[in-house]
Structures are given as structure tokens and as C-alpha cells.
């Protein structure tokens, strides 16, 4: 069985597009690490990921959040979103960047279904990337900033941007000329039961969609709307995983978690775009 480090080296070799976060030169394997021609070195975490940040970034996206998120995803609550993303991508072999990948669930799902696809996942949260390395797929997992992606120009045929603020300039740079951005963003009913529990109004549509259309030409789009019946335990996981609740104290989140709803709605737009 391959170690996590071996899988990372294999993914990096397959993609062949990793660049030095210091000078931008190509990074190649140097024994158990990576190095560029100017002798900048990048250490490989023993758990199978790279960290290209110059300093540690504080984030509320911690291990507990991603553990809850994983249980929600394992329960199938976002399977329809994965299928919609997959349907947007050409059948030809894909080189995918999951930008703001979180714990890597979407990228793992796609690579697990397509043995001739390869990919990388980048997130600013170290806890998220450490969770991502537990997936069975072979992918290049990177702790990094979407404003400065450690990849060469034109490296990917597709960029996934799922419920994450976009950096359209960087996405354009790392995409091939015919590459697709797959943008997933909330519809008005997204997690409406949790918003009600917090006494928040429904999500207001329009702003993300309008800005996206300024930056990109929409090639295809669909809307995924599914209402799931949930157990008390799954409702609690939704409460603990969503950024909607992250300004609350643990006690306040538990108050909402114990007042279980009967269902949760996933309502998301999925758009395949070519950046202008």
C-alpha cells in the first residue's frame, strides 16, 4: 500500500505543474522534498501534503467542523451536487484543481470515478488539508492561498469553486485556454432551515450570479434543489459544519443543535463557465 507521501509525489509527478512559492520556478522532487533550480526547498508533510503559506493562517474551519462536514457528505446529502458537477465536465481525461477544497470530498469523488483524471486540492485551512489526505484518491493536497496558486500557467482543464470566494484572475491563469470553471453557489433555499433556526432571512440571490457573468461566459448551468430528512445527529452535524454558525459560541451552537428540525434543504446553482 502506498503511503500518503508516496501518493503526493505521484500526483505531483503526474500533474508536473508545481511551482516554487518564493520565485515561481518549477518545483521538482529532491529526495523526500521538493526544490527549484534556485535551491528553494519545500518540505513534504509526513501526512502527505504541502504547505506553501509564508505564515500560518487562523481559521474557524477546524478539525471538528470538517469531521461534521464529512459525516454530512457521507450521508449523501451533497451527492446530487457531485453528479451535477461531473455532468458539466467533458468525458476526456481531466486535470482538476479544487480551489478552496476543504476536506477534498468533491475532488476525491471525481477522481475515484475516473481513473484517467488527476488533480490537486488547495485550501487555506491546514486542518482541512490534513483531513483531505485521508481520502483514497491520489491527489496533490496543498495548504495555500487562492490569491497565489503554486501552479504553472495553463495547468488545469477545470477549476472547481464550490461555495468559496473566487479569484477569477488566478483561475484564468492556471486554466488551459479551453478550460472550464465550475462555479457552485447558493440558491435562495440553501440551508433555509438552519437560517430560520438562527433567525436569519433567506439567502439573497443575485450578487454572485451577476459578478460571475461579468467575469465569465456561462457554457451550461443547472440548479440542484434537494430536501433531506435528517436525524437529530445529522441535524447537529449540519449546525456544526456550516459557516452560518461559526460566530456563535459552542453553547449557542448546541442550543440550535438540540432543537432539531426534520429536514435540511440543499439548494445550489452549478455553472460551467469560460473566463473572459
Amino acid at each position: 500500500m502506498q503511503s500518503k507521501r508516496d501518493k503526493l509525489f505521484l500526483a505531483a509527478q503526474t500533474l508536473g505543474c508545481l511551482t516554487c512559492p518564493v520565485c515561481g520556478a518549477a518545483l521538482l522532487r529532491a529526495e523526500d522534498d521538493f526544490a527549484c533550480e534556485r535551491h528553494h526547498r519545500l518540505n513534504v508533510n509526513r501526512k502527505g501534503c504541502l504547505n506553501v503559506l509564508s505564515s500560518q493562517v487562523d481559521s474557524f474551519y477546524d478539525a471538528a467542523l470538517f469531521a461534521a462536514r464529512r459525516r454530512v457528505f457521507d450521508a449523501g446529502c451533497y451527492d446530487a451536487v457531485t453528479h451535477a458537477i461531473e455532468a458539466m465536465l467533458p468525458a476526456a481525461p481531466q486535470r482538476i484543481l479544487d480551489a478552496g477544497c476543504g476536506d477534498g470530498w468533491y475532488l476525491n469523488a471525481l477522481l475515484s470515478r475516473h481513473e484517467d483524471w488527476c488533480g490537486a486540492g488547495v485550501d487555506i485551512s491546514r486542518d482541512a488539508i490534513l483531513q483531505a489526505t485521508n481520502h483514497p484518491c491520489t491527489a496533490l493536497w496543498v495548504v495555500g492561498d487562492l490569491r497565489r496558486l503554486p501552479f504553472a500557467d495553463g495547468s488545469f482543464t477545470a477549476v472547481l469553486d464550490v461555495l468559496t470566494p473566487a479569484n477569477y484572475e488566478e483561475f484564468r491563469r492556471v486554466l488551459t485556454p479551453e478550460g472550464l470553471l465550475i462555479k457552485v453557489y447558493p440558491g435562495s433555499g440553501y440551508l433555509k432551515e438552519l437560517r430560520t433556526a438562527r433567525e436569519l432571512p433567506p439567502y439573497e440571490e443575485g450578487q454572485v450570479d451577476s459578478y460571475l457573468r461579468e467575469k465569465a461566459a456561462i457554457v451550461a448551468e443547472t440548479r440542484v434543489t434537494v430536501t433531506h430528512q435528517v436525524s437529530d445527529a445529522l441535524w447537529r452535524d449540519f449546525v456544526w459544519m456550516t459557516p452560518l454558525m461559526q460566530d456563535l459560541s459552542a453553547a449557542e451552537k448546541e442550543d440550535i443543535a438540540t432543537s432539531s428540525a426534520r429536514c435540511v434543504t440543499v439548494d445550489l446553482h452549478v455553472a460551467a463557465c469560460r473566463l473572459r
Side-chain angles (χ1 to χ4, degrees), residues 24-54:
L27 277 176
L28 300 174
R29 183 172 182 175
E31 298 179 348
D32 289 332
D33 296 315
F34 287 94
C36 72
E37 61 184 8
R38 298 182 183 179
H39 308 295
H40 299 126
R41 294 187 73 90
L42 191 63
N43 296 328
V44 177
N45 184 290
R46 62 182 177 82
K47 293 188 177 180
C49 67
L50 298 176
N51 189 334
V52 301
L53 295 178
S54 57

mmCIF file of all heavy atoms in Angstrom, residues 24-54:
data_model
loop_
_atom_site.group_PDB
_atom_site.id
_atom_site.type_symbol
_atom_site.label_atom_id
_atom_site.label_comp_id
_atom_site.label_asym_id
_atom_site.label_seq_id
_atom_site.Cartn_x
_atom_site.Cartn_y
_atom_site.Cartn_z
ATOM 1 N N GLY A 24 8.662 31.213 -8.180
ATOM 2 C CA GLY A 24 7.812 30.829 -9.311
ATOM 3 C C GLY A 24 8.426 29.816 -10.255
ATOM 4 O O GLY A 24 7.774 29.402 -11.221
ATOM 5 N N ALA A 25 9.653 29.391 -10.007
ATOM 6 C CA ALA A 25 10.277 28.371 -10.850
ATOM 7 C C ALA A 25 9.643 27.001 -10.602
ATOM 8 O O ALA A 25 8.971 26.789 -9.591
ATOM 9 C CB ALA A 25 11.782 28.315 -10.568
ATOM 10 N N ALA A 26 9.875 26.093 -11.532
ATOM 11 C CA ALA A 26 9.315 24.748 -11.391
ATOM 12 C C ALA A 26 9.895 24.052 -10.164
ATOM 13 O O ALA A 26 11.089 24.170 -9.882
ATOM 14 C CB ALA A 26 9.608 23.935 -12.636
ATOM 15 N N LEU A 27 9.018 23.349 -9.449
ATOM 16 C CA LEU A 27 9.446 22.540 -8.310
ATOM 17 C C LEU A 27 9.507 21.084 -8.734
ATOM 18 O O LEU A 27 8.554 20.553 -9.317
ATOM 19 C CB LEU A 27 8.467 22.681 -7.147
ATOM 20 C CG LEU A 27 8.596 23.879 -6.213
ATOM 21 C CD1 LEU A 27 7.452 23.865 -5.195
ATOM 22 C CD2 LEU A 27 9.932 23.891 -5.486
ATOM 23 N N LEU A 28 10.634 20.438 -8.424
ATOM 24 C CA LEU A 28 10.814 19.028 -8.737
ATOM 25 C C LEU A 28 11.188 18.280 -7.474
ATOM 26 O O LEU A 28 11.701 18.869 -6.513
ATOM 27 C CB LEU A 28 11.912 18.849 -9.786
ATOM 28 C CG LEU A 28 11.661 19.541 -11.132
ATOM 29 C CD1 LEU A 28 12.890 19.405 -12.023
ATOM 30 C CD2 LEU A 28 10.428 18.970 -11.809
ATOM 31 N N ARG A 29 10.944 16.990 -7.490
ATOM 32 C CA ARG A 29 11.282 16.192 -6.317
ATOM 33 C C ARG A 29 12.780 16.210 -6.064
ATOM 34 O O ARG A 29 13.590 16.056 -6.990
ATOM 35 C CB ARG A 29 10.781 14.760 -6.484
ATOM 36 C CG ARG A 29 11.042 13.895 -5.242
ATOM 37 C CD ARG A 29 10.380 12.540 -5.338
ATOM 38 N NE ARG A 29 10.603 11.765 -4.114
ATOM 39 C CZ ARG A 29 10.064 10.574 -3.864
ATOM 40 N NH1 ARG A 29 9.267 10.018 -4.755
ATOM 41 N NH2 ARG A 29 10.313 9.947 -2.733
ATOM 42 N N ALA A 30 13.138 16.425 -4.815
ATOM 43 C CA ALA A 30 14.532 16.383 -4.387
ATOM 44 C C ALA A 30 14.600 15.489 -3.162
ATOM 45 O O ALA A 30 14.381 15.942 -2.040
ATOM 46 C CB ALA A 30 15.046 17.778 -4.069
ATOM 47 N N GLU A 31 14.840 14.182 -3.410
ATOM 48 C CA GLU A 31 14.802 13.178 -2.358
ATOM 49 C C GLU A 31 13.413 13.150 -1.720
ATOM 50 O O GLU A 31 12.437 12.826 -2.380
ATOM 51 C CB GLU A 31 15.922 13.429 -1.340
ATOM 52 C CG GLU A 31 17.313 13.332 -1.954
ATOM 53 C CD GLU A 31 18.419 13.610 -0.972
ATOM 54 O OE1 GLU A 31 18.131 14.109 0.136
ATOM 55 O OE2 GLU A 31 19.577 13.331 -1.307
ATOM 56 N N ASP A 32 13.288 13.535 -0.451
ATOM 57 C CA ASP A 32 11.989 13.458 0.215
ATOM 58 C C ASP A 32 11.262 14.801 0.273
ATOM 59 O O ASP A 32 10.275 14.953 1.000
ATOM 60 C CB ASP A 32 12.156 12.927 1.641
ATOM 61 C CG ASP A 32 12.515 11.456 1.661
ATOM 62 O OD1 ASP A 32 12.138 10.743 0.703
ATOM 63 O OD2 ASP A 32 13.185 11.013 2.607
ATOM 64 N N ASP A 33 11.739 15.770 -0.484
ATOM 65 C CA ASP A 33 11.118 17.099 -0.519
ATOM 66 C C ASP A 33 11.003 17.557 -1.968
ATOM 67 O O ASP A 33 11.209 16.777 -2.900
ATOM 68 C CB ASP A 33 11.949 18.098 0.303
ATOM 69 C CG ASP A 33 12.000 17.758 1.786
ATOM 70 O OD1 ASP A 33 10.938 17.432 2.343
ATOM 71 O OD2 ASP A 33 13.100 17.789 2.363
ATOM 72 N N PHE A 34 10.712 18.853 -2.157
ATOM 73 C CA PHE A 34 10.728 19.475 -3.473
ATOM 74 C C PHE A 34 11.719 20.633 -3.446
ATOM 75 O O PHE A 34 11.932 21.274 -2.406
ATOM 76 C CB PHE A 34 9.343 20.004 -3.846
ATOM 77 C CG PHE A 34 8.356 18.937 -4.193
ATOM 78 C CD1 PHE A 34 7.493 18.432 -3.229
ATOM 79 C CD2 PHE A 34 8.279 18.423 -5.477
ATOM 80 C CE1 PHE A 34 6.575 17.443 -3.533
ATOM 81 C CE2 PHE A 34 7.378 17.432 -5.802
ATOM 82 C CZ PHE A 34 6.521 16.936 -4.831
ATOM 83 N N ALA A 35 12.312 20.915 -4.593
ATOM 84 C CA ALA A 35 13.234 22.042 -4.698
ATOM 85 C C ALA A 35 13.175 22.613 -6.103
ATOM 86 O O ALA A 35 12.830 21.907 -7.070
ATOM 87 C CB ALA A 35 14.663 21.611 -4.372
ATOM 88 N N CYS A 36 13.498 23.902 -6.229
ATOM 89 C CA CYS A 36 13.546 24.551 -7.533
ATOM 90 C C CYS A 36 15.001 24.782 -7.924
ATOM 91 O O CYS A 36 15.924 24.543 -7.138
ATOM 92 C CB CYS A 36 12.766 25.861 -7.512
ATOM 93 S SG CYS A 36 13.578 27.198 -6.586
ATOM 94 N N GLU A 37 15.217 25.288 -9.133
ATOM 95 C CA GLU A 37 16.584 25.496 -9.640
ATOM 96 C C GLU A 37 17.350 26.546 -8.840
ATOM 97 O O GLU A 37 18.586 26.617 -8.903
ATOM 98 C CB GLU A 37 16.536 25.899 -11.111
ATOM 99 C CG GLU A 37 15.795 27.196 -11.360
ATOM 100 C CD GLU A 37 15.668 27.533 -12.833
ATOM 101 O OE1 GLU A 37 16.021 26.679 -13.668
ATOM 102 O OE2 GLU A 37 15.212 28.641 -13.147
ATOM 103 N N ARG A 38 16.630 27.365 -8.082
ATOM 104 C CA ARG A 38 17.289 28.381 -7.259
ATOM 105 C C ARG A 38 17.491 27.892 -5.820
ATOM 106 O O ARG A 38 17.802 28.667 -4.933
ATOM 107 C CB ARG A 38 16.472 29.669 -7.274
ATOM 108 C CG ARG A 38 16.357 30.282 -8.677
ATOM 109 C CD ARG A 38 15.580 31.577 -8.669
ATOM 110 N NE ARG A 38 15.436 32.087 -10.032
ATOM 111 C CZ ARG A 38 14.775 33.209 -10.356
ATOM 112 N NH1 ARG A 38 14.198 33.926 -9.383
ATOM 113 N NH2 ARG A 38 14.699 33.598 -11.608
ATOM 114 N N HIS A 39 17.288 26.591 -5.641
ATOM 115 C CA HIS A 39 17.577 25.916 -4.376
ATOM 116 C C HIS A 39 16.611 26.279 -3.242
ATOM 117 O O HIS A 39 16.951 26.064 -2.073
ATOM 118 C CB HIS A 39 19.027 26.173 -3.933
ATOM 119 C CG HIS A 39 20.036 25.861 -4.995
ATOM 120 N ND1 HIS A 39 20.236 24.580 -5.470
ATOM 121 C CD2 HIS A 39 20.870 26.674 -5.704
ATOM 122 C CE1 HIS A 39 21.167 24.604 -6.413
ATOM 123 N NE2 HIS A 39 21.563 25.861 -6.578
ATOM 124 N N HIS A 40 15.456 26.816 -3.575
ATOM 125 C CA HIS A 40 14.414 26.943 -2.561
ATOM 126 C C HIS A 40 13.809 25.556 -2.355
ATOM 127 O O HIS A 40 13.516 24.850 -3.326
ATOM 128 C CB HIS A 40 13.326 27.928 -3.013
ATOM 129 C CG HIS A 40 13.842 29.312 -3.252
ATOM 130 N ND1 HIS A 40 13.639 29.980 -4.448
ATOM 131 C CD2 HIS A 40 14.551 30.149 -2.466
ATOM 132 C CE1 HIS A 40 14.189 31.176 -4.376
ATOM 133 N NE2 HIS A 40 14.762 31.294 -3.186
ATOM 134 N N ARG A 41 13.622 25.182 -1.114
ATOM 135 C CA ARG A 41 13.097 23.851 -0.802
ATOM 136 C C ARG A 41 11.716 23.953 -0.168
ATOM 137 O O ARG A 41 11.410 24.913 0.552
ATOM 138 C CB ARG A 41 14.044 23.088 0.133
ATOM 139 C CG ARG A 41 15.386 22.755 -0.490
ATOM 140 C CD ARG A 41 16.196 21.852 0.413
ATOM 141 N NE ARG A 41 15.667 20.485 0.444
ATOM 142 C CZ ARG A 41 16.055 19.526 -0.396
ATOM 143 N NH1 ARG A 41 16.947 19.772 -1.330
ATOM 144 N NH2 ARG A 41 15.546 18.305 -0.291
ATOM 145 N N LEU A 42 10.912 22.940 -0.445
ATOM 146 C CA LEU A 42 9.571 22.858 0.122
ATOM 147 C C LEU A 42 9.428 21.491 0.767
ATOM 148 O O LEU A 42 9.523 20.456 0.092
ATOM 149 C CB LEU A 42 8.516 23.054 -0.971
ATOM 150 C CG LEU A 42 7.067 23.253 -0.539
ATOM 151 C CD1 LEU A 42 6.929 24.529 0.280
ATOM 152 C CD2 LEU A 42 6.145 23.315 -1.745
ATOM 153 N N ASN A 43 9.200 21.486 2.059
ATOM 154 C CA ASN A 43 9.091 20.226 2.783
ATOM 155 C C ASN A 43 7.747 19.558 2.552
ATOM 156 O O ASN A 43 6.715 20.228 2.415
ATOM 157 C CB ASN A 43 9.282 20.455 4.281
ATOM 158 C CG ASN A 43 10.669 20.958 4.623
ATOM 159 O OD1 ASN A 43 11.638 20.618 3.950
ATOM 160 N ND2 ASN A 43 10.766 21.774 5.659
ATOM 161 N N VAL A 44 7.767 18.242 2.547
ATOM 162 C CA VAL A 44 6.545 17.454 2.405
ATOM 163 C C VAL A 44 6.128 16.965 3.783
ATOM 164 O O VAL A 44 6.897 16.291 4.475
ATOM 165 C CB VAL A 44 6.761 16.251 1.471
ATOM 166 C CG1 VAL A 44 5.497 15.394 1.404
ATOM 167 C CG2 VAL A 44 7.159 16.731 0.084
ATOM 168 N N ASN A 45 4.920 17.314 4.189
ATOM 169 C CA ASN A 45 4.404 16.849 5.468
ATOM 170 C C ASN A 45 4.301 15.325 5.456
ATOM 171 O O ASN A 45 3.919 14.724 4.449
ATOM 172 C CB ASN A 45 3.019 17.483 5.702
ATOM 173 C CG ASN A 45 2.425 17.153 7.047
ATOM 174 O OD1 ASN A 45 2.032 16.027 7.293
ATOM 175 N ND2 ASN A 45 2.346 18.139 7.918
ATOM 176 N N ARG A 46 4.630 14.697 6.561
ATOM 177 C CA ARG A 46 4.591 13.231 6.616
ATOM 178 C C ARG A 46 3.186 12.683 6.402
ATOM 179 O O ARG A 46 3.013 11.496 6.078
ATOM 180 C CB ARG A 46 5.143 12.745 7.958
ATOM 181 C CG ARG A 46 4.363 13.187 9.167
ATOM 182 C CD ARG A 46 5.009 12.709 10.474
ATOM 183 N NE ARG A 46 4.320 13.179 11.645
ATOM 184 C CZ ARG A 46 3.221 12.600 12.149
ATOM 185 N NH1 ARG A 46 2.723 11.521 11.567
ATOM 186 N NH2 ARG A 46 2.636 13.088 13.231
ATOM 187 N N LYS A 47 2.167 13.548 6.566
ATOM 188 C CA LYS A 47 0.792 13.103 6.327
ATOM 189 C C LYS A 47 0.366 13.285 4.872
ATOM 190 O O LYS A 47 -0.786 13.060 4.520
ATOM 191 C CB LYS A 47 -0.168 13.848 7.260
ATOM 192 C CG LYS A 47 0.040 13.476 8.728
ATOM 193 C CD LYS A 47 -1.028 14.067 9.621
ATOM 194 C CE LYS A 47 -0.833 13.620 11.066
ATOM 195 N NZ LYS A 47 -1.878 14.183 11.971
ATOM 196 N N GLY A 48 1.296 13.732 4.033
ATOM 197 C CA GLY A 48 1.024 13.722 2.604
ATOM 198 C C GLY A 48 0.474 15.005 2.034
ATOM 199 O O GLY A 48 -0.383 14.967 1.140
ATOM 200 N N CYS A 49 0.944 16.149 2.509
ATOM 201 C CA CYS A 49 0.503 17.420 1.940
ATOM 202 C C CYS A 49 1.659 18.410 1.917
ATOM 203 O O CYS A 49 2.686 18.205 2.559
ATOM 204 C CB CYS A 49 -0.682 18.004 2.707
ATOM 205 S SG CYS A 49 -0.308 18.522 4.394
ATOM 206 N N LEU A 50 1.472 19.487 1.182
ATOM 207 C CA LEU A 50 2.432 20.583 1.121
ATOM 208 C C LEU A 50 1.817 21.818 1.764
ATOM 209 O O LEU A 50 0.602 22.017 1.691
ATOM 210 C CB LEU A 50 2.783 20.914 -0.330
ATOM 211 C CG LEU A 50 3.458 19.824 -1.156
ATOM 212 C CD1 LEU A 50 3.638 20.311 -2.583
ATOM 213 C CD2 LEU A 50 4.787 19.442 -0.547
ATOM 214 N N ASN A 51 2.659 22.649 2.344
ATOM 215 C CA ASN A 51 2.211 23.936 2.884
ATOM 216 C C ASN A 51 3.050 25.023 2.228
ATOM 217 O O ASN A 51 4.257 25.101 2.444
ATOM 218 C CB ASN A 51 2.383 23.966 4.407
ATOM 219 C CG ASN A 51 1.728 25.189 5.034
ATOM 220 O OD1 ASN A 51 1.561 26.230 4.393
ATOM 221 N ND2 ASN A 51 1.357 25.080 6.304
ATOM 222 N N VAL A 52 2.409 25.865 1.395
ATOM 223 C CA VAL A 52 3.132 26.914 0.675
ATOM 224 C C VAL A 52 2.854 28.296 1.258
ATOM 225 O O VAL A 52 3.255 29.297 0.676
ATOM 226 C CB VAL A 52 2.799 26.897 -0.835
ATOM 227 C CG1 VAL A 52 3.161 25.552 -1.447
ATOM 228 C CG2 VAL A 52 1.332 27.223 -1.083
ATOM 229 N N LEU A 53 2.173 28.356 2.398
ATOM 230 C CA LEU A 53 1.917 29.639 3.038
ATOM 231 C C LEU A 53 3.177 30.134 3.741
ATOM 232 O O LEU A 53 3.907 29.351 4.349
ATOM 233 C CB LEU A 53 0.784 29.522 4.051
ATOM 234 C CG LEU A 53 -0.607 29.183 3.503
ATOM 235 C CD1 LEU A 53 -1.602 29.050 4.649
ATOM 236 C CD2 LEU A 53 -1.079 30.246 2.514
ATOM 237 N N SER A 54 3.402 31.438 3.683
ATOM 238 C CA SER A 54 4.573 32.011 4.343
ATOM 239 C C SER A 54 4.380 32.098 5.853
ATOM 240 O O SER A 54 5.345 32.165 6.614
ATOM 241 C CB SER A 54 4.875 33.405 3.784
ATOM 242 O OG SER A 54 3.748 34.259 3.932
#
